Amino acid sequence: MSRGKFITFEGCDGCGKSTQLRLLSEYLTKKGVPHIFTREPGGGKISEAIREILLNGKNAEMTDECEALLYAAARAQHLRDKVEPALANGKLVVCDRYVDSSFAYQAFARGLGFEFIEKINAFALENYLPDCTVFFDLTPEEAFQRKHGADENDRLEQAGMEFHKKVYAGYKRLAEKYPERIVCINARQTPEEIAKQVIDVLKKKKCL
Ligand code: TYD
């Protein structure tokens, strides 16, 4: 059996990723493609427990370093618990966020620097990268307008507009740095138009 392909979805909070995950799931089910959907931080017992610590609005005193290490720890567990076994079984794995989120949020927006995030994730993941990453290109201003403001219980969403603008700029830098792997899709179109482009991209990248 050949190994499955690993796809990740990325973008600012509220960029429409969840809708696209649902539409892709409907397509894959209809076509009978063996697949799993998962998410970061989370996707398993231990990584979901780490997610709760990370996103809990009451944990305001968490340091940036602790935050970065917890995302990497959750990722190490999730990769081995869920992603690797599914790929080994020939399944397509679609993951809502992965290491590019740590580059955009922790390296660029928190200002911890690319090298530090690369180093801790290289240790956690052994440099395991997706076959294709889809970046849903929507500015945080547009995204928050769509969802009528930030979620007051979500620590990351509460970080403020300046932070989220840096996240967006970080993603744009990453897309320039890894043009072979990261594909940008204009997320200002209708959900159906975006879904069609996602499928076209995945076919072009030989992931479907
Ligand atoms: P979630 O509610 O899943 O957000 P979304 O639906 O927008 O994906 O929360 C995940 C949050 O964690 C989101 O604000 C992005 C952030 N995050 C990081 O800061 N670093 C990371 O490495 C990952 C995976 C997520």
Side-chain angles (χ1 to χ4, degrees):
M1 184 197 299
S2 64
R3 226 178 126 71
K5 297 284 184 184
F6 182 27
I7 298 161
T8 57
F9 278 14
E10 294 283 355
C12 290
D13 292 73
C15 68
K17 272 187 300 100
S18 312
T19 307
Q20 290 308 317
L21 286 161
R22 183 174 53 75
L23 293 174
L24 182 61
S25 173
E26 283 169 15
Y27 174 85
L28 296 175
T29 306
K30 203 166 81 193
K31 295 279 172 191
V33 178
H35 66 279
I36 65 157
F37 276 88
T38 188
R39 69 168 179 184
E40 284 205 352
K45 191 173 112 222
I46 293 170
S47 27
E48 286 291 336
I50 300 175
R51 177 188 177 90
E52 155 57 24
I53 300 172
L54 277 164
L55 300 188
N56 192 332
K58 294 193 184 115
N59 290 337
E61 74 271 35
M62 187 184 297
T63 67
D64 294 348
E65 291 77 8
C66 175
E67 177 181 293
L69 288 163
L70 283 178
Y71 277 115
R75 186 164 298 128
Q77 182 74 29
H78 174 237
L79 187 72
R80 286 156 184 98
D81 270 359
K82 206 157 173 188
V83 177
E84 268 293 340
L87 294 174
N89 277 323
K91 290 188 182 155
L92 180 78
V93 174
V94 184
C95 188
D96 183 358
R97 299 192 179 280
Y98 189 61
V99 69
D100 296 300
S101 284
S102 282
F103 287 131
Y105 285 77
Q106 281 70 51
F108 291 106
R110 292 286 191 224
L112 292 176
F114 192 84
E115 265 99 71
F116 172 65
I117 297 303
E118 195 174 40
K119 207 162 156 184
I120 60 175
N121 279 280
F123 171 68
L125 308 181
E126 295 160 10
N127 287 318
Y128 199 90
L129 286 177
D131 295 294
C132 178
T133 297
V134 182
F135 167 57
F136 295 94
D137 191 339
L138 191 70
T139 64
E141 289 96 330
E142 292 167 300
F144 281 106
Q145 212 170 357
R146 265 194 197 175
K147 67 201 294 275
H148 307 295
D151 179 349
E152 59 187 33
N153 297 316
D154 185 315
R155 201 176 55 87
L156 267 290
E157 284 200 19
Q158 283 304 313
M161 190 50 80
E162 283 316 304
F163 174 81
H164 287 283
K165 280 188 190 166
K166 286 186 199 158
V167 170
Y168 180 72
Y171 273 126
K172 297 295 256 190
R173 294 261 296 276
L174 288 168
E176 276 167 30
K177 192 173 162 83
Y178 302 110
E180 291 299 309
R181 177 173 63 82
I182 303 181
V183 180
C184 296
I185 290 191
N186 176 358
R188 290 163 204 91
Q189 310 170 81
T190 66
E192 292 71 27
E193 278 166 341
I194 299 170
K196 189 175 166 303
Q197 286 181 16
V198 170
I199 292 164
D200 287 347
V201 161
L202 297 181
K203 284 183 179 163
K204 213 163 118 196
K205 294 276 179 187
K206 307 216 176 337
C207 292
L208 283 180

